[in-house]
Amino acid sequence: GLALWSPRVADDDPLAAAARARTKLRRDEEGRRLLYVALTRAEDRLYICGWRGSNRPSADSWYELIRQGLTGLGEPMAFDCRPELGEGGWVGEGLLFVQPQTGAPESDKDRPRGTQPIEKPFDPWARSLPRPERQPPRPLSPSRLGEDPPVLAPLGESGDQRFRRGRLIHRLLQTLPDLPGEQRAVAAKRFLDRRAAEMPAAARAEIAAETLRLLADPAFADLFGPGSRAEAPIVGELPGGMVISGQIDRLLVSQSRVLIVDFKTNRPAPRSPSETAQPYLRQMAAYRAALGKIYPGKSIRCALLWTEEPQLMELPESLLSGLSP
């Protein structure tokens, strides 16, 4: 009654090999039944063609099964379909198998209305190639809408620790809000002890304390409370046909408003929203424009959470309105 896992044929033991053989047999039997149905639907003529790339088709493919069956029965023949199909027609060799008709053929008068044979040349569209399909725009990540902001040198003084610290806070802010408040401190310590064991205990305690203080701040209770989402994917088309595809670190949608929060790590936090790097502002403006189409009639608020502090900074609408893509 247990599942049997064998990722490769080379790993099969006798039990797995027998189970794999039974599965292949059932698949092949069903495939041959479908082939029989396909072959017996033709009334007068049946054309069998195949296409392949650099590899030969499998011996179990319908084409190979039919070719093997007709070998010795069919007569070799050359064919040239260019007069009917134009210069793009097929030219090659194949097998012709003819079975004499012993029953009386149906007359046109016996055919149901609407099935009379149509004898006219091909329409021009049948001889022409289809027009190229319109290529959709390649989705662009909102974080790549402009030049990258300056980053802290990872090899400078305490640079590696800043990177490490930012990533740890990011992960805590992603996972801790899903836990009851009384369990967060224990979970944060357990996570940091396991993932950041190389850091001094005082540094781990400081990260946990700052993160928990932010989560407990009443001003941000809704952001990290029930109904908010972490790592929310977003895909949208902006005015002008630009398609964006990204992931919002924290999203809160209520009856009247939408709050978008993106975590920023490893970079010194600016003192005010006006000093925020332009790529960050363009990224949030793109999120704001996309969610404005998804949630018309709701006010859209944007904020950046600087995990190095940590500090939550709301971006005023006046700062983003002129940056929408």
Side-chain angles (χ1 to χ4, degrees):
L2 297 177
L4 179 62
W5 171 243
S6 180
R8 298 184 306 167
V9 174
D11 296 334
D12 283 354
D13 62 3
L15 188 61
R20 194 186 297 274
R22 289 195 301 270
T23 300
K24 183 178 184 301
L25 178 62
R26 288 195 296 267
R27 183 194 64 201
D28 292 346
E29 289 175 345
E30 177 63 14
R32 283 166 171 76
R33 283 192 288 268
L34 294 174
L35 174 58
Y36 172 81
V37 173
L39 291 173
T40 56
R41 287 301 177 266
E43 291 189 4
D44 297 317
R45 294 184 182 184
L46 177 63
Y47 294 91
I48 301 167
C49 305
W51 177 91
R52 69 179 178 92
S54 57
N55 298 324
R56 291 192 59 83
S58 166
D60 296 330
S61 67
W62 283 10
Y63 182 87
E64 284 299 313
L65 291 174
I66 296 171
R67 187 186 64 80
Q68 295 168 17
L70 289 181
T71 300
L73 296 176
E75 296 292 334
M77 63 163 291
F79 60 86
D80 185 348
C81 299
R82 285 178 299 186
E84 293 83 4
L85 299 179
E87 289 303 319
W90 301 324
V91 178
E93 296 182 353
L95 294 172
L96 173 65
F97 177 71
V98 178
Q99 181 68 28
Q101 180 170 320
T102 57
E106 290 183 344
S107 67
D108 289 346
K109 293 185 297 182
D110 297 330
R111 294 179 182 270
R113 183 180 299 274
T115 62
Q116 300 295 330
I118 300 176
E119 297 181 0
K120 66 175 183 178
F122 283 109
D123 290 330
W125 64 263
R127 296 189 176 91
S128 60
L129 295 175
R131 289 176 296 180
E133 294 187 9
R134 175 179 174 269
Q135 292 293 328
R138 182 180 178 181
L140 180 67
S141 171
S143 62
R144 306 298 295 176
L145 289 175
E147 71 279 1
D148 291 332
V151 301
L152 290 173
L155 300 180
E157 182 180 358
S158 301
D160 55 343
Q161 291 302 316
R162 288 193 180 97
F163 278 93
R164 183 78 170 127
R165 186 175 185 276
R167 286 194 295 266
L168 292 170
I169 293 177
H170 191 143
R171 184 61 182 274
L172 288 173
L173 290 175
Q174 176 186 344
T175 57
L176 288 182
D178 295 332
L179 299 176
E182 64 275 10
Q183 298 180 15
R184 292 175 180 175
V186 175
K189 184 179 185 305
R190 183 170 60 245
F191 170 79
L192 292 170
D193 289 347
R194 184 175 66 251
R195 293 295 186 90
E198 77 286 355
M199 297 180 68
R204 299 198 301 268
E206 180 186 5
I207 291 175
E210 292 184 355
T211 306
L212 293 170
R213 184 169 61 252
L214 181 65
L215 294 177
D217 192 329
F220 311 129
D222 291 343
L223 174 62
F224 296 107
S228 62
R229 293 183 57 190
E231 306 294 327
I234 177 175
V235 177
E237 183 175 355
L238 303 181
M242 177 188 293
V243 176
I244 65 168
S245 175
Q247 188 166 271
I248 298 174
D249 290 330
R250 201 79 195 178
L251 178 66
L252 173 64
V253 180
S254 65
Q255 292 184 350
S256 59
R257 67 187 180 102
V258 176
L259 178 58
I260 307 166
V261 176
D262 205 64
F263 301 162
K264 295 302 179 186
T265 61
N266 312 332
R267 297 170 174 92
R271 292 186 296 272
S272 66
S274 61
E275 298 178 8
T276 302
Q278 287 292 306
Y280 290 164
L281 298 178
R282 281 194 288 269
Q283 174 188 2
M284 300 306 288
Y287 284 148
R288 180 174 176 268
L291 287 172
K293 298 179 66 174
I294 298 174
Y295 299 105
K298 296 181 185 289
S299 67
I300 311 294
R301 296 170 51 198
C302 300
L304 295 175
L305 179 58
W306 304 96
T307 57
E308 189 182 356
E309 300 290 339
Q311 171 195 356
L312 188 67
M313 176 186 292
E314 184 166 354
L315 304 175
E317 181 179 349
S318 59
L319 195 61
L320 300 177
S321 57
L323 297 174
S324 297

